[in-house]
Amino acid sequence: MYKNEKEMYPDVCLWFKKMLQSKFKNARICVEDTSKKVLAKWLLEKGFHGYFPNYQTYEVEVDVAGVIVKTDKEAHLGFVECKLDKINLRDFSQLLGYSKVALPLYSIILSPKGVSHSLNLLFNVARRNDILYYTQDKHIFITRWDERKKEIDLSTIIPKGARIP
């Protein structure tokens, strides 16, 4: 059992990198713990800033960031936000804000304890999936992290029936 979020990061980084590598076979993938670094600075340090013209506006500190370099001119971001407790509206809103700023290809929030009662009601009873979207065609995935398997629990993904593309 993780004692703090920081203990989750290596497992989540490894899972996220493997997931991205399986989806983008010919791409260069970089995934790291960026929890203590502003994304703009990390992109600059890693030399990825040239792919993102607005990178200087990415003043966010996402727990795990990934870059998928598809060609010399095309790259995409991926975010994973980790929580130890049940994911609540404040946690979700934080990632929604980050995602609206940087427009990642993937935006995932996960926790070993799943979602709070109120978030469960919001998405699974009130069916307010519109709130998940940060662009017209991209939305946040919310899921439970399986500590034992060190991967997400596919049966818990919100929105229901969604697959991480």
Side-chain angles (χ1 to χ4, degrees):
M1 190 135 194
Y2 301 115
K3 293 180 186 84
N4 55 51
E5 277 183 24
K6 190 171 179 53
E7 287 184 3
M8 292 176 69
Y9 300 157
D11 292 339
V12 172
C13 283
L14 189 61
W15 165 80
F16 195 45
K17 185 170 186 173
K18 283 182 184 175
M19 188 272 286
L20 293 175
Q21 287 172 328
S22 74
K23 294 185 181 305
F24 301 95
K25 303 256 189 255
N26 297 320
R28 182 166 54 114
I29 310 287
C30 177
V31 173
E32 290 186 3
D33 167 356
T34 53
S35 61
K36 298 291 183 216
K37 203 167 270 188
V38 172
L39 183 62
K41 185 176 181 184
W42 180 75
L43 289 169
L44 186 62
E45 287 174 359
K46 291 293 184 181
F48 295 125
H49 61 288
Y51 293 102
F52 306 99
N54 299 320
Y55 84 95
Q56 291 177 311
T57 67
Y58 301 171
E59 196 173 326
V60 301
E61 290 181 24
V62 67
D63 294 333
V64 173
V67 174
I68 305 134
V69 180
K70 292 175 87 176
T71 67
D72 287 346
K73 294 181 175 147
E74 183 186 5
H76 301 282
L77 290 169
F79 293 166
V80 182
E81 194 65 23
C82 304
K83 299 298 173 191
L84 262 189
D85 293 321
K86 289 185 175 191
I87 300 163
N88 61 36
L89 185 58
R90 183 180 335 112
D91 301 328
F92 169 77
S93 298
Q94 174 189 17
L95 183 58
L96 182 61
Y98 292 174
S99 299
K100 282 189 167 281
V101 169
L103 304 173
L105 187 59
Y106 294 101
S107 188
I108 303 165
I109 186 168
L110 50 79
S111 167
K113 294 184 180 171
V115 299
S116 68
H117 179 67
S118 61
L119 267 195
N120 183 53
L121 288 174
L122 182 66
F123 294 117
N124 293 322
V125 177
R127 304 218 182 266
R128 288 297 312 276
N129 289 349
D130 59 299
I131 299 168
L132 293 167
Y133 285 81
Y134 52 94
T135 68
Q136 190 172 2
D137 61 343
K138 292 186 184 113
H139 62 81
I140 291 174
F141 293 91
I142 304 172
T143 189
R144 189 181 70 77
W145 177 254
D146 187 324
E147 280 183 84
R148 193 176 49 76
K149 292 182 178 178
K150 298 184 182 344
E151 62 185 34
I152 62 170
D153 179 349
L154 297 173
S155 70
T156 66
I157 294 176
I158 295 173
K160 287 279 183 223
R163 293 190 117 344
I164 298 177

